[in-house]
């Protein structure tokens, strides 16, 4: 059973600080990694994807991938109250070359306190 | 604008009744997916389809059925065999293969048994 693990939180971070969200995955063959943001009662929204080891930056968001440790993280700089949401880590299970089935973690609830 | 449309937004089902949730996309994506999300939980895969007239069971397919007669449409029927159908249902679509960039989600259907 392929798994994606996240701390459920809640993670409370003061406004303006860096929020760090972590995720581990079990399938060593995984190739693609995604972070989704989900506001309460809404559907998930893709905010970052990363394929290669290292860091990928997009505005206030940085995704970090370490395939050797099977670890992916999301950093949010200058956290804003609007960043308060549940963040889902997702991993592409490449069971075969034509499949695109993504496995989701259960999410980390982030709360930014003013 | 391209996107995924789910309808209805809210649905109420009586005991023993079958209901069908609609999902339509105009993104020209080959793959479509149905997920179920329970309060405070992650996403669980019900069914997915990578090509017209073909679909596969996900992790929790019992009590559900789907069809894929057109590329744009992937309706989900919740049958009376599904004993606990109250949940938030999410439809998603994606490209297939190694150039997949994650899923695009619809806005969801909230189903309640009355």
């Amino acid at each position: 059973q392929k798994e994606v693990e996240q701390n459920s939180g809640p993670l409370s971070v003061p406004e303006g600080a860096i929020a760090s969200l972590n995720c581990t995955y079990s399938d060593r063959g995984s190739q693609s990694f995604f972070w989704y943001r989900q506001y309460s009662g809404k559907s998930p929204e893709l905010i970052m994807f990363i394929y290669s080891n290292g860091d990928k930056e997009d505005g206030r968001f940085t995704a970090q991938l370490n395939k050797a440790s099977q670890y992916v993280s999301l950093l949010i700089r200058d956290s804003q109250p609007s960043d308060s949401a549940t963040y889902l880590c997702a991993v592409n299970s490449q069971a075969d070359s034509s499949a695109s089935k993504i496995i989701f973690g259960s999410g980390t609830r982030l709360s930014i306190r003013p | 604008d391209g996107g995924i449309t789910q309808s209805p937004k809210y649905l109420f089902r009586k005991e023993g009744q079958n209901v069908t949730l609609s999902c339509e996309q105009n993104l020209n994506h080959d793959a479509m997916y149905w997920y179920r999300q329970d309060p405070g939980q992650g996403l669980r895969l019900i069914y997915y389809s990578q090509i017209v007239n073909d679909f596969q069971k996900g992790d929790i397919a019992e009590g559900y059925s789907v069809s894929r007669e057109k590329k744009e449409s992937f309706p989900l029927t919740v049958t009376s065999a599904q004993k606990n159908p109250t949940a938030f249902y999410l439809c998603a679509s994606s490209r297939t293969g190694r150039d997949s960039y994650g899923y695009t989600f619809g806005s969801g259907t909230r189903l309640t048994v009355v």
Side-chain angles (χ1 to χ4, degrees):
Chain A
Q1 178 77 8
K2 300 181 178 69
E3 293 182 346
V4 177
E5 300 284 346
Q6 295 181 256
N7 189 317
S8 61
L11 175 65
S12 181
V13 173
E15 184 174 357
I18 296 175
S20 178
L21 304 163
N22 304 314
C23 171
T24 59
Y25 59 95
S26 63
D27 181 12
R28 284 197 169 275
S30 299
Q31 297 293 322
S32 310
F33 306 86
F34 308 89
W35 283 100
Y36 287 83
R37 177 177 62 200
Q38 186 176 24
Y39 292 114
S40 181
K42 303 297 185 182
S43 62
E45 171 193 11
L46 180 66
I47 55 172
M48 289 287 287
F49 61 89
I50 186 167
Y51 302 137
S52 304
N53 275 330
D55 295 0
K56 178 182 178 182
E57 187 175 317
D58 184 1
R60 294 188 296 113
F61 298 100
T62 299
Q64 299 176 316
L65 175 61
N66 184 325
K67 289 187 178 179
S69 300
Q70 295 176 242
Y71 176 92
V72 59
S73 65
L74 178 70
L75 302 178
I76 306 174
R77 290 182 300 281
D78 189 23
S79 297
Q80 303 296 312
S82 60
D83 295 325
S84 296
T86 296
Y87 289 80
L88 303 173
C89 173
V91 175
N92 194 333
S93 169
Q94 295 266 353
D96 62 71
S97 60
S98 64
S100 294
K101 191 155 69 79
I102 292 177
I103 298 173
F104 287 84
S106 57
T108 297
R109 190 154 55 94
L110 174 66
S111 176
I112 307 300
R113 58 182 189 270
Chain B
D1 287 336
I4 299 183
T5 301
Q6 288 188 244
S7 62
K9 189 172 183 178
Y10 299 96
L11 186 58
F12 298 90
R13 192 194 93 166
K14 295 180 180 179
E15 295 282 351
Q17 188 179 44
N18 292 357
V19 292
T20 297
L21 284 59
S22 172
C23 179
E24 304 274 338
Q25 55 99 358
N26 60 3
L27 298 166
N28 199 33
H29 285 168
D30 288 310
M32 297 187 74
Y33 312 81
W34 275 105
Y35 283 89
R36 168 179 173 147
Q37 188 176 37
D38 294 282
Q41 304 293 315
L43 278 63
R44 292 187 289 168
L45 182 64
I46 304 172
Y47 269 98
Y48 66 103
S49 168
Q50 298 184 72
I51 194 169
V52 174
N53 291 323
D54 188 42
F55 48 83
Q56 286 77 41
K57 293 182 179 180
D59 302 318
I60 56 165
E62 186 174 350
Y64 300 97
S65 66
V66 294
S67 63
R68 187 87 187 275
E69 298 176 1
K70 299 185 301 181
K71 186 175 183 177
E72 302 79 16
S73 178
F74 192 40
L76 173 75
T77 296
V78 184
T79 74
S80 57
Q82 173 49 241
K83 297 307 178 187
N84 186 22
T86 295
F88 187 42
Y89 290 86
L90 288 159
C91 180
S93 71
S94 75
R95 288 185 272 180
T96 56
R98 295 187 180 277
D99 63 346
S100 168
Y101 293 106
Y103 295 173
T104 300
F105 283 91
S107 57
T109 293
R110 197 166 297 277
L111 174 63
T112 303
V113 173
V114 295

